[in-house]
Amino acid sequence: MRVHHLNCISTCPLGGRLMDGRSRSLLERGHLACHCLLIETPDSLVLVDTGLGLRDVADPQSRLSRFFLTLLRPEFREQMTAVRQVERLGFDPADVRHILLSHLDFDHAGGLDDFPNATVHMLASEREHAVRQRSWLDRQRFRPQQWSTQPSWRTYGTEGGSRWNGFEGVRTPDGLPPEILMVPLPGHTHGHAGIAVYSGGRWKFLAADAYFHAGEMASTPVCPPGLRFYQWMMELDRDARLHNQDRLRALARGSRDVDIFCSHDIAEFEQLSGRSAGIPAEGFATPRL
């Protein structure tokens, strides 16, 4: 299977260097990626997370909360949406028949509308919590305006799942090959999951928002202070989040065939994709007949 790395609309949070660790000052906006994957399987395309979509770009005020629009100021560019990058790679978006969601935060699920025929896979606890809209923060982060494809959602419990590199409750989503795994990583949200894909003799493990900065995978973890505060603000289960970060660090140190990366670290994205996070994917695929 071939894997393409897509940045599906960056966010530009207040705080500059305090947020991304690399901006020139604290006064400018920072720059965070929204790292998604496009997987070529023998019979279809699989998208892992969607980033923000066409409708978010066209009318963000009706789709996203004022709070997050002000705090993060997404870099709305239609060419950076997942559907437009799929087209630039030479594919028909209708061939995206499966979408795996790490979680339902607005910056990961906004492009669901752009793939109306895809089956959307997620953990059951993620859907259950998101639809309740219990807290003010839940209502800002989980946006039903982005959920037009709910009839096509398929959810999975963790009971009876398998083990993978020390993680339990791991599932292979229905209709997908065993080289694609959904790995429970609760903490950031209650049903948060990472996605592991075996390609080219290695596992590529998108840990999504289980961590936000590559420095958190070091033996002595480091994270820009603003980004550390943002993670604390967004977490729904602190103990679970920190426990899973510990397990990811252990996996990063102990495994020679797993590449771990998160959704929002710009440097990780650029290293893996081989291009600037501001440039859409294109020209790497042969159009399907």
Side-chain angles (χ1 to χ4, degrees):
M1 292 188 297
R2 193 175 189 182
V3 178
H4 305 272
H5 298 269
L6 314 178
N7 177 30
C8 297
I9 301 188
S10 295
T11 53
C12 304
L14 292 166
R17 194 174 186 85
L18 292 175
M19 294 298 291
D20 61 19
R22 68 185 229 165
S23 294
R24 290 171 296 178
S25 76
L26 310 183
L27 301 178
E28 65 182 74
R29 291 270 180 167
H31 194 189
L32 303 178
C34 187
H35 197 156
C36 303
L37 303 177
L38 181 69
I39 307 165
E40 298 181 46
T41 74
D43 59 358
S44 68
L45 299 174
V46 179
L47 191 61
V48 179
D49 284 344
T50 69
L52 293 164
L54 292 176
R55 296 184 189 179
D56 301 313
V57 172
D59 188 8
Q61 285 75 25
S62 73
R63 303 260 295 176
L64 309 177
S65 76
R66 183 179 300 178
F67 173 76
F68 280 112
L69 283 172
T70 301
L71 178 65
L72 299 179
R73 199 171 72 183
E75 197 173 54
F76 290 114
R77 296 164 56 198
E78 182 176 323
Q79 64 180 337
M80 299 302 293
T81 60
V83 66
R84 292 293 180 252
Q85 292 192 69
V86 168
E87 292 171 342
R88 291 170 71 99
L89 283 165
F91 296 115
D92 183 344
D95 285 338
V96 177
R97 300 197 182 104
H98 299 274
I99 297 174
L100 277 62
L101 274 189
S102 63
H103 61 301
L104 274 165
D105 274 351
F106 68 94
D107 55 331
H108 295 255
L112 291 175
D113 298 319
D114 300 330
F115 303 94
N117 299 317
T119 300
V120 180
H121 306 268
M122 71 187 78
L123 292 183
S125 52
E126 183 66 11
R127 179 175 186 167
E128 290 166 5
H129 182 86
V131 300
R132 290 173 187 163
Q133 302 274 288
R134 283 185 169 178
S135 70
W136 177 87
L137 183 58
D138 286 349
R139 293 189 289 276
Q140 310 313 302
R141 72 191 301 175
F142 301 128
R143 305 297 287 177
Q145 296 92 324
Q146 298 175 328
W147 301 349
S148 66
T149 62
Q150 276 201 71
S152 299
W153 291 7
R154 187 169 299 176
T155 61
Y156 303 84
T158 56
E159 303 81 8
S162 60
R163 289 177 59 87
W164 177 80
N165 282 306
F167 294 89
E168 304 83 22
V170 176
R171 303 297 298 261
T172 297
D174 296 340
L176 293 178
E179 294 85 3
I180 300 177
L181 303 175
M182 184 173 289
V183 182
L185 292 173
H188 178 70
T189 65
H190 292 301
H192 183 273
I195 309 300
V197 184
Y198 192 73
S199 174
R202 300 184 62 80
W203 286 99
K204 304 179 191 304
F205 189 18
L206 176 59
D209 288 8
Y211 72 95
F212 276 52
H213 188 270
E216 294 178 275
M217 291 295 100
S219 55
T220 302
V222 294
C223 183
L227 195 58
R228 187 166 60 246
F229 174 80
Y230 183 71
Q231 288 189 79
W232 170 83
M233 180 184 78
M234 297 296 288
E235 69 188 19
L236 295 181
D237 185 335
R238 181 171 180 78
D239 289 343
R241 182 176 72 84
L242 296 180
H243 174 63
N244 280 317
Q245 281 195 0
D246 286 340
R247 296 203 295 171
L248 288 169
R249 275 189 288 274
L251 179 59
R253 292 193 303 268
S255 177
R256 296 182 178 180
D257 67 344
V258 181
D259 299 318
I260 304 173
F261 48 100
C262 68
S263 292
H264 298 304
D265 188 284
I266 287 284
E268 282 186 341
F269 174 82
E270 293 182 341
Q271 179 182 8
L272 289 164
S273 68
R275 65 181 185 278
S276 165
I279 298 176
E282 65 177 341
F284 302 118
T286 302
R288 290 192 170 190
L289 301 178

